[in-house]
Amino acid sequence: MTVRNNLARAAVLIGLVALCPRWAVAAAPPILDPTRAEFPDSSLVDFGRLAPRHSPDMGFLSTDDDGHFRWENGERARFWGINVASASVFQPQERIDVCVERIRRAGFNLVRLHEVDNTGTGILVGGKDSLTFDHSQLRLLDYWIYRCGQAGLSVYLDLLDYRGFVAGDGIPGAEQLGRGAKPYAVFDDQLAEQQMRYAQALLRDHRNEFTGRCYADDSTVALVEIFDENGLLIKRGSWNQLIEPYRTRLRKRWNEFL
């Protein structure tokens, strides 16, 4: 029975491969076993040829009157995304090349580059303020966006994830706010100003070393998230423990609203 079952499985596999277009199967069999390759393929089939791809002539992403994503040329945009976070972003260029190809071949067309604003391990130096970039790390973020664009993949960037505010930012009690200043960053004007300065520096002032464009002018960067997993409701258990002067500022804003 075991031999018969194995023969049946082999026949099914051969049949599936035969149904696939010739271009869908790699010339050399891909390695699927995670114990034999650091970045194994997800399938025998190159699903990247089936996924929607972005090209510069399609323009920037927007929404239509029905709330659907569309490119400037009118084409409907649909995404199947993957998350690449923290230390996984900051890898040597040759490893990024392999990862982008595996991501493309698996059929993804959107890459979320997440938790890049860590101090020390991300694009921020830290120390005297939380707005000074580590240019060697920023160069690797540039390279991800450049290679994704070459592969027809769109990029989803986060702004405020793990940024740690420090006294040099001129923020009261900076070191007590924690990573991402949750939930302070969603209601305090000083922190909002800091976030806008960071967004300006990253998206507009900085130019990608490999494309020559700032991120705001690169249609590969399709989506930008203002802040991640933050908000007064998601952090409602922290309301009674807010430090000053933020507790008084929030109460004042609430009373003015009422």
Side-chain angles (χ1 to χ4, degrees):
M1 288 298 293
T2 301
V3 173
R4 185 176 299 173
N5 288 341
N6 287 340
L7 288 174
R9 292 192 188 100
V12 169
L13 179 60
I14 292 170
L16 289 173
V17 172
L19 289 173
C20 293
R22 289 185 179 179
W23 49 258
V25 181
I31 298 175
L32 307 182
D33 187 347
T35 66
R36 293 179 53 209
E38 184 177 25
F39 302 111
D41 277 291
S42 61
S43 172
L44 292 172
V45 177
D46 183 351
F47 286 105
R49 295 178 179 266
L50 304 176
R53 296 290 163 205
H54 175 261
S55 60
D57 61 296
M58 296 166 67
F60 287 84
L61 186 68
S62 61
T63 54
D64 61 21
D65 293 339
D66 294 325
H68 296 134
F69 284 133
R70 289 194 184 275
W71 300 110
E72 279 185 285
N73 68 350
E75 185 175 334
R76 179 84 176 269
R78 294 179 174 86
F79 298 110
W80 178 247
I82 189 170
N83 196 67
V84 181
S86 192
S88 298
V89 176
F90 304 104
Q91 297 295 318
Q93 291 182 16
E94 58 271 19
R95 287 166 65 86
I96 294 173
D97 289 337
V98 174
C99 288
V100 168
E101 173 56 21
R102 293 294 184 273
I103 289 169
R104 182 208 64 78
R105 199 172 183 279
F108 294 106
N109 65 348
L110 179 70
V111 179
R112 184 192 188 204
L113 300 175
H114 181 45
E115 296 178 20
V116 302
D117 61 339
N118 275 319
T119 298
T121 58
I123 63 173
L124 296 175
V125 174
K128 65 176 183 178
D129 60 43
S130 65
L131 273 173
T132 301
F133 290 127
D134 180 331
H135 291 286
S136 63
Q137 296 284 80
L138 188 55
R139 189 175 188 272
L140 294 173
L141 183 61
D142 286 349
Y143 193 71
W144 267 102
I145 294 172
Y146 162 65
R147 289 293 288 115
C148 284
Q150 283 190 322
L153 309 177
S154 296
V155 170
Y156 175 144
L157 280 181
D158 291 351
L159 291 180
L160 182 63
D161 277 321
Y162 278 27
R163 180 182 176 188
F165 295 95
V166 297
D169 294 322
I171 300 296
E175 286 80 2
Q176 297 176 262
L177 299 179
R179 295 188 308 189
K182 303 176 182 183
Y184 304 93
V186 301
F187 68 81
D188 185 74
D189 289 336
Q190 272 189 284
L191 287 166
E193 176 63 28
Q194 281 286 327
Q195 293 171 72
M196 288 188 282
R197 289 176 61 193
Y198 173 80
Q200 172 73 28
L202 180 65
L203 303 178
R204 177 58 69 186
D205 298 340
H206 168 69
R207 288 192 175 273
N208 189 316
E209 181 176 329
F210 301 94
T211 68
R213 295 186 296 272
C214 63
Y215 293 172
D217 290 337
D218 189 345
S219 58
T220 296
V221 181
L223 298 167
V224 176
E225 183 176 345
I226 297 175
F227 47 69
D228 174 64
E229 296 180 7
N230 200 347
L232 285 173
L233 294 181
I234 197 173
K235 293 292 182 179
R236 58 191 178 275
S238 304
W239 292 359
N240 291 328
Q241 289 82 43
L242 294 180
I243 66 170
E244 293 292 356
Y246 303 99
R247 182 184 176 98
T248 298
R249 289 178 181 178
L250 179 59
R251 183 183 293 113
K252 181 175 182 295
R253 298 192 72 158
W254 176 245
N255 288 335
E256 287 173 350
F257 168 76
L258 292 179

